[in-house]
Amino acid sequence: MNKMDFETHFGTQEWVDTLAGNPGYPRLERSPEGSLRLCYRADAQEPFPEALIEKLLDIGEGRIAAMDSFGIDVAVLSLVAPGAEHFEPALGTEVARKANDALADAMGRHPGRFRGYAALAPRDPEAAAKELERAVRELGMQGWKTHCNYVDSYLDERQYRPILAKAEELGVPVYLHPTVPRIAEFGTYGIALSGPPFGFGAETALVAMRLIMSGVFDELPGLKVVLGHYGEGLPFLLHRMDWLHDRPHAKADRGALVPLAKKPSRYLRENFMVSTSGNYLEAAFRCTRDALGIESIVLGTDYPFDDPRECLAFLEGLRLTGEEQHAVFEDNAARLGVFA
């Protein structure tokens, strides 16, 4: 049985240099104490040490050796947050294209070990759709990894529909990954609120619900979206999200309902899959499995931010059946067309 890691990140030296030289946000800078930080905004700064950058830049023999030590057979690599989305569109397009070329080169040097998600700069939607097609058709990428906001907008907004339509046309999934929320109130307590402990997942869940409510899956029924962290809390809300459709006094007022072909929970079950990345609470796994089914869960380790050994030890401790292990580690990836 192979193990396919759906969420593992890389960077390029150009990406690092662009962040280091960016006069605005996001940027890399040193704190007064000398430590390196990734500054998403003035009120959201994440420790980003050189040792972490070294791991991100390694998409060669060192990465392969690390995968072997963890027991990971195939890694689907994606450009680390904040990706290319938060740069000015022309610069972001250039950074994304060069990152895609670097990843394709690594995939070619290590066939069978690396797969890849394309990086895009979606604030130029036409250029982004063309780059997605190039990345998939010419470079062999397996999807598009994007982030939960684009400085001043979200993925559900109409101007980004051509990129989603291209993903459906190409038959590749979109991995919707967190970054620091654009909602100002998340910055009140710094990265502790706006980052991985809460804000990352909260805004990504918001964007997933916005995608559902926008009707994008009625327009593009074949579109598949992958969420990390067991669905950013949405499986817990699976029943609640249908409230307007289930309560007689609410559904009697047609003006309150968004005109969708199905209940919101159906789209979460049918158009979304989730990964195991960075959430090692047994109750979260069991809620997700019960709400969405084991067929909706894929392996994700969030390397190098998390230790894949912790992820795999957690999954081993769940005492999954052999059939469930095959589903999470290999079979569900094949259903997405990524593991062939």
Side-chain angles (χ1 to χ4, degrees):
M1 176 176 55
N2 289 299
K3 292 184 176 69
M4 160 76 80
D5 185 353
F6 257 71
E7 187 182 327
T8 179
H9 306 293
F10 81 103
T12 64
Q13 190 60 53
E14 181 176 12
W15 178 85
V16 172
D17 293 342
T18 301
L19 282 170
N22 192 14
Y25 294 106
R27 64 172 179 256
L28 280 171
E29 64 179 38
R30 292 199 178 275
S31 70
E33 298 76 28
S35 61
L36 199 58
R37 291 185 172 186
L38 174 57
C39 303
Y40 295 93
R41 298 190 311 239
D43 59 3
Q45 302 182 16
E46 176 184 353
F48 219 76
E50 284 86 348
L52 176 61
I53 293 175
E54 288 176 7
K55 290 181 179 180
L56 288 166
L57 294 178
D58 183 359
I59 47 176
E61 296 300 334
R63 175 82 62 135
I64 296 293
M67 290 166 56
D68 289 342
S69 72
F70 304 142
I72 299 295
D73 297 288
V74 185
V76 188
L77 297 167
S78 61
L79 184 62
V80 61
E85 288 94 334
H86 285 211
F87 298 126
E88 289 302 312
L91 176 59
T93 297
E94 180 182 1
V95 169
R97 185 179 181 90
K98 291 183 177 179
N100 293 336
D101 288 339
L103 179 51
D105 179 69
M107 291 163 59
R109 286 185 285 108
H110 301 281
R113 301 305 304 273
F114 292 153
R115 305 288 170 88
Y117 295 117
L120 304 177
R123 287 195 289 163
D124 184 343
E126 182 178 354
K130 289 179 180 178
E131 177 61 11
L132 179 58
E133 182 155 29
R134 183 185 83 95
V136 173
R137 295 196 187 280
E138 298 179 24
L139 303 183
M141 301 292 176
Q142 278 71 45
W144 169 34
K145 183 256 202 170
T146 191
H147 296 96
C148 60
N149 72 73
Y150 306 145
V151 181
D152 59 356
S153 53
Y154 292 126
L155 180 57
D156 63 286
E157 295 178 31
R158 194 72 205 180
Q159 67 265 32
Y160 303 121
R161 201 60 52 89
I163 316 174
L164 295 175
K166 182 60 67 175
E168 187 202 38
E169 175 191 328
L170 295 168
V172 296
V174 177
Y175 200 113
L176 181 59
H177 187 277
T179 191
V180 164
R182 57 180 284 228
I183 301 167
E185 287 75 10
F186 276 107
T188 304
Y189 300 102
I191 201 73
L193 181 64
S194 61
F198 183 71
F200 269 27
E203 191 177 69
T204 305
L206 169 65
V207 175
M209 288 300 297
R210 286 174 62 105
L211 285 169
I212 290 172
M213 296 301 178
S214 73
V216 68
F217 299 108
D218 289 338
E219 182 179 337
L220 304 171
L223 181 65
K224 293 289 186 181
V225 176
V226 184
L227 297 170
H229 318 108
Y230 293 113
E232 312 293 7
L234 290 178
F236 183 83
L237 299 173
L238 192 72
H239 178 264
R240 188 73 172 166
M241 67 180 62
D242 291 338
W243 188 89
L244 278 173
H245 295 259
D246 291 336
R247 298 297 184 271
H249 73 280
K251 66 182 181 180
D253 182 356
R254 304 302 299 178
L257 290 173
V258 177
L260 299 175
K262 308 170 188 176
K263 292 182 180 181
S265 63
R266 286 277 301 280
Y267 299 100
L268 190 65
R269 285 192 173 106
E270 296 173 6
N271 293 93
F272 286 81
M273 296 184 75
V274 304
S275 83
T276 64
S277 60
N279 189 346
Y280 308 135
L281 179 69
E282 184 170 346
F285 173 85
R286 298 202 181 282
C287 174
T288 303
R289 183 181 61 182
D290 291 348
L292 303 182
I294 196 70
E295 66 275 10
S296 294
I297 303 174
V298 295
L299 175 65
T301 69
D302 206 6
Y303 179 83
F305 297 92
D306 285 340
D307 186 342
R309 285 169 292 218
E310 182 182 8
C311 176
L312 292 170
F314 167 75
L315 293 172
E316 183 178 351
L318 295 174
R319 301 173 297 281
L320 302 178
T321 67
E323 184 177 354
E324 288 175 324
Q325 291 181 50
H326 270 278
V328 172
F329 293 144
E330 184 172 5
D331 295 346
N332 295 339
R335 289 176 47 241
L336 274 176
V338 174
F339 200 1

